[in-house]
Amino acid sequence: LSPYTTTVEWFLGSESTCVPFVAWKDLQIDFDVSKELMIKMTGIGQDRLPIGNRGTTPLTASNIVSTSQPIDRPTAGWSCNVYMDPITGTAGTTLFGQMLSGSIKIQNPLEGIHTLSNRQVYQQIGRSKWDLALDAKLVYTDVVQLEQYRQDNKQYVQLSFYGRQVSNNQIQTFTVIIPFKFNKFDPVSVPSGKYPEASIAGIGEYDPGIGASYKLTVLNSIQPPNYVS
């Protein structure tokens, strides 16, 4: 999610469409060692505009200008490294090999603002405060993270997901850094279980170390963009 708006285009096999002034308000990242990485987003758009001659029939070819962006393919959930470090240290330093699955939810409540401008589409966007939550399931092999919860210690949680090779021998990478504060740590141990588990939950709090409540870095080409909030 970014405070900047975007333009979205798609081709459905017949319709080529442009949606301008798109603002994203919800982002959910679901990860699981036994499944593919899933990213879901919802937002609002100012209009829906067909591209090209609207009288052409039948429509069989795309009217969208091609770009050099590589094609995205599924990312396996197991292809991920998790790091947990003290908030006084550096994110991405200490590997944490006990996380099984989880979900990151970023909410940015917003709405389109309509003004008296002789147009039916919104002209401005109003936003509320950002919010980030992380829920995860761990293999419960020690009480290190339980102590972090008990002592109310904030720490960096970094998840780095790896995809295919892109240009210049770089690996497609999707990295999230969260200054994480626990609000739940629930051990789960049942007779039918093969190992003890723990469910954790918490929020991302603003941290001057990264200058944000989360940092999202996407490497999908030569130059990676950085998005912070």
Side-chain angles (χ1 to χ4, degrees):
L1 295 179
S2 166
Y4 303 104
T5 57
T6 60
T7 297
V8 177
E9 296 180 342
W10 63 70
F11 174 59
L12 302 179
S14 57
E15 172 194 354
S16 300
T17 296
C18 171
V19 181
F21 207 11
V22 173
W24 303 104
K25 59 182 180 179
D26 295 293
L27 170 68
Q28 180 170 331
I29 305 169
D30 295 324
F31 53 93
D32 189 309
V33 68
S34 61
K35 300 178 182 178
E36 65 184 19
L37 176 69
M38 296 292 293
I39 301 176
K40 305 172 187 176
M41 299 178 68
T42 59
I44 59 175
Q46 187 187 51
D47 207 342
R48 180 173 176 172
L49 306 172
I51 300 173
N53 185 347
R54 302 180 188 183
T56 302
T57 181
L59 285 171
T60 57
S62 172
N63 291 319
I64 295 174
V65 177
S66 299
T67 64
S68 59
Q69 182 68 29
I71 297 174
D72 283 327
R73 292 182 172 85
T75 298
W78 61 264
S79 184
C80 171
N81 278 332
V82 181
Y83 303 84
M84 297 187 78
D85 293 284
I87 204 70
T88 55
T90 303
T93 301
T94 307
L95 279 168
F96 179 75
Q98 300 173 6
M99 192 170 290
L100 297 168
S101 61
S103 178
I104 300 170
K105 298 177 183 178
I106 304 173
Q107 294 183 318
N108 175 29
L110 55 80
E111 64 176 329
I113 300 175
H114 295 75
T115 59
L116 293 172
S117 55
N118 194 30
R119 299 188 67 188
Q120 290 184 309
V121 296
Y122 61 76
Q123 302 298 304
Q124 302 176 35
I125 294 175
R127 302 176 185 269
S128 293
K129 294 182 178 180
W130 299 76
D131 177 72
L132 182 144
L134 167 65
D135 301 276
K137 184 180 293 185
L138 314 178
V139 178
Y140 191 26
T141 58
D142 55 50
V143 296
V144 173
Q145 294 307 317
L146 175 61
E147 280 301 295
Q148 299 299 314
Y149 166 68
R150 290 182 62 253
Q151 297 177 27
D152 200 27
N153 289 333
K154 188 164 67 174
Q155 55 190 330
Y156 287 125
V157 176
Q158 175 175 320
L159 295 100
S160 296
F161 301 93
Y162 307 103
R164 58 184 176 77
Q165 182 173 314
V166 291
S167 55
N168 286 359
N169 296 319
Q170 298 283 343
I171 298 297
Q172 184 185 51
T173 309
F174 186 89
T175 300
V176 186
I177 300 175
I178 305 169
F180 179 72
K181 182 168 182 169
F182 282 104
N183 58 28
K184 185 183 81 168
F185 191 105
D186 291 340
V188 179
S189 182
V190 295
S192 60
K194 297 180 177 64
Y195 46 82
E197 298 179 0
S199 296
I200 67 170
I203 60 173
E205 286 191 344
Y206 177 85
D207 174 66
I210 63 171
S213 59
Y214 73 90
K215 183 177 181 181
L216 173 62
T217 303
V218 180
L219 174 59
N220 201 37
S221 55
I222 298 175
Q223 186 65 38
N226 289 297
Y227 302 104
V228 299
S229 167

